[in-house]
Amino acid sequence: MKKITLTLAALALLITACGFASSEEIGAVDTVFKLIGPDHKIVVEAYDDPKVAGVTCYVSRAKTGGIKGALGLAEDKAEASIACRQTGVIGFGGKPLEQQEEMYSERISLVFKKLRVVRMVDAKRNTLVYLTYSDRLIEGSPQNSVTAVPVPAGTVIPVAK
């Protein structure tokens, strides 16, 4: 039993170290009162780009409350909004970025639906573009939001070839 626990802990540490962003809740507002369970709300979360120092993305999205929400069985709405900003000196740690790469993914239904944040490199304009959308195993949503962070002149975005 102890060996399984250590293996799971090592796997969790490995997944965390793989460069996926983690969120930090900045705040939330209630949108619908629920007598039983948490209210429906809009949450705002911050995600520091794990491969680009000095860039933070703020994502607002709906969270379903009620009994299903409290038990983790609710399906959150597909709508989300994103705004990414330079929050420090932009740096790449000497490693090239992929032309397009998923920065973050989070389950927003019990099994099949995910909220995703994808980073794209616009090398011509020396800009990082971030897109958020949700997808589902069978049918995704066309609702999306996009934002861009211009990289200061003189700082070249290293792109993998």
Side-chain angles (χ1 to χ4, degrees), residues 42-61:
I42 297 171
V43 296
V44 176
E45 297 168 317
Y47 302 88
D48 293 324
D49 189 322
K51 293 189 177 178
V52 182
V55 173
T56 302
C57 293
Y58 298 91
V59 176
S60 67
R61 63 188 183 89

Side-chain angles (χ1 to χ4, degrees), residues 43-99:
V43 296
V44 176
E45 297 168 317
Y47 302 88
D48 293 324
D49 189 322
K51 293 189 177 178
V52 182
V55 173
T56 302
C57 293
Y58 298 91
V59 176
S60 67
R61 63 188 183 89
K63 279 197 94 144
T64 304
I67 295 171
K68 285 185 177 181
L71 296 174
L73 302 174
E75 183 172 307
D76 293 336
K77 298 210 181 270
E79 297 121 14
S81 181
I82 188 168
C84 298
R85 299 293 184 263
Q86 179 178 352
T87 55
V89 176
I90 292 181
F92 302 98
K95 297 179 184 174
L97 300 178
E98 296 296 323
Q99 178 63 38

Side-chain angles (χ1 to χ4, degrees), residues 44-138:
V44 176
E45 297 168 317
Y47 302 88
D48 293 324
D49 189 322
K51 293 189 177 178
V52 182
V55 173
T56 302
C57 293
Y58 298 91
V59 176
S60 67
R61 63 188 183 89
K63 279 197 94 144
T64 304
I67 295 171
K68 285 185 177 181
L71 296 174
L73 302 174
E75 183 172 307
D76 293 336
K77 298 210 181 270
E79 297 121 14
S81 181
I82 188 168
C84 298
R85 299 293 184 263
Q86 179 178 352
T87 55
V89 176
I90 292 181
F92 302 98
K95 297 179 184 174
L97 300 178
E98 296 296 323
Q99 178 63 38
Q100 179 173 313
E101 178 178 16
E102 185 170 280
M103 183 184 101
Y104 178 77
S105 171
E106 179 181 345
R107 180 181 63 83
I108 56 176
S109 76
L110 185 60
V111 180
F112 300 114
K113 194 174 185 182
K114 286 188 174 184
L115 174 73
R116 299 182 184 276
V117 176
V118 175
R119 178 193 336 97
M120 301 172 193
V121 177
D122 180 355
K124 179 178 178 182
R125 293 164 191 83
N126 208 39
T127 299
L128 299 169
V129 179
Y130 295 85
L131 169 73
T132 187
Y133 67 101
S134 71
D135 67 0
R136 184 181 276 178
L137 187 62
I138 305 296

